[in-house]
Structure formats: C-alpha cells, structure tokens
Amino acid sequence: QVQLAESGGGLVQAGASLRISCAGSGRTFSVYTMAWFRRAPGKDREFVGGISWTGGNPSYADSVKGRFTISRDNAKNTVYLQMNNLKPEDTAIYYCAATGGGTIRYSTLGYNYWGQGTQVTVSS
C-alpha cells in the first residue's frame, strides 16, 4: 500500500506559476504509476496528467498541455506538478493518485490510492 499527501497549493494571480507536490509512503513507491486529477467547483474530478513508474512519456489533458509538467523523484518518493501560466479556470482541488498498473489511466476508476487534495486558486 501507499499513502499520499499533497502540498504546495495556494492563491495566485493569473499568469503565475506554482508547483505542487505529492509525497508517498512505502518502499514500493517507485513501481506505481502516478497521476494528478482536479475537481473544480460544481464539476467532476478530471484527469490532469500522469506519469509511469519510469518517469518517461508523461501524458496530459489538452486543457493543460504546454503549461503543466509532471515529474517524479523516486528517491524522494515524490511526484510534482509544475503549473505555469495559470488561468482562473485552473482553480480546483488537486489530487494525486497511484495505481500499481503499468500504464497511465485517464479515469479515476483506474487508481487505488488517493491523497486528500490541495487547493489551488487562481484569481483574475
């Protein structure tokens, strides 16, 4: 099993950058495929980006492609989401998720473990 804890959220202005982190517990963290999802007010949780256990070929939602970058440091049991050129529509609670499957899944159903979330608010 793995436990996840997000951090680094906050209030920023449109156009700013922010990096949020997800720290995982457990010695097997490096074998998990990781992803970030977000839930905006009144909307369902949606896929933002995912990264395999090797760190190669990350995948992104079209809405964040070119602005967000997902990365991982297995030595630190941590996954990051670098968010640049933030927009008000990026305002949401951001969750990290983990699955023991080898491929990136785009549905919440594909992930076994979830963090509690961190709030990101972008003002216009």
Side-chain angles (χ1 to χ4, degrees):
Q1 286 193 349
V2 62
Q3 293 183 325
L4 305 172
E6 302 91 339
S7 62
L11 171 64
V12 298
Q13 291 188 330
S17 297
L18 193 66
R19 189 179 77 163
I20 56 177
S21 303
C22 172
S25 65
R27 291 179 293 177
T28 60
F29 177 86
S30 62
V31 305
Y32 287 91
T33 292
M34 303 296 296
W36 287 96
F37 285 76
R38 67 185 182 186
R39 185 176 67 203
K43 296 186 178 181
D44 292 333
R45 202 173 296 196
E46 65 174 1
F47 175 83
V48 174
I51 189 167
S52 68
W53 69 275
T54 64
N57 297 321
S59 180
Y60 301 96
D62 288 342
S63 59
V64 306
K65 200 171 293 183
R67 298 188 298 123
F68 289 13
T69 302
I70 187 171
S71 61
R72 68 189 297 162
D73 185 340
N74 288 335
K76 296 182 178 180
N77 282 6
T78 302
V79 175
Y80 304 97
L81 184 67
Q82 176 68 44
M83 303 180 289
N84 297 330
N85 190 22
L86 281 161
K87 303 176 181 181
E89 51 263 43
D90 295 319
T91 294
I93 300 173
Y94 284 71
Y95 301 88
C96 68
T99 178
T103 59
I104 297 169
R105 285 84 186 283
Y106 299 93
S107 166
T108 58
L109 298 177
Y111 294 85
N112 310 95
Y113 306 103
W114 292 86
Q116 294 300 308
T118 186
Q119 177 71 48
V120 173
T121 303
V122 184
S123 64
S124 58

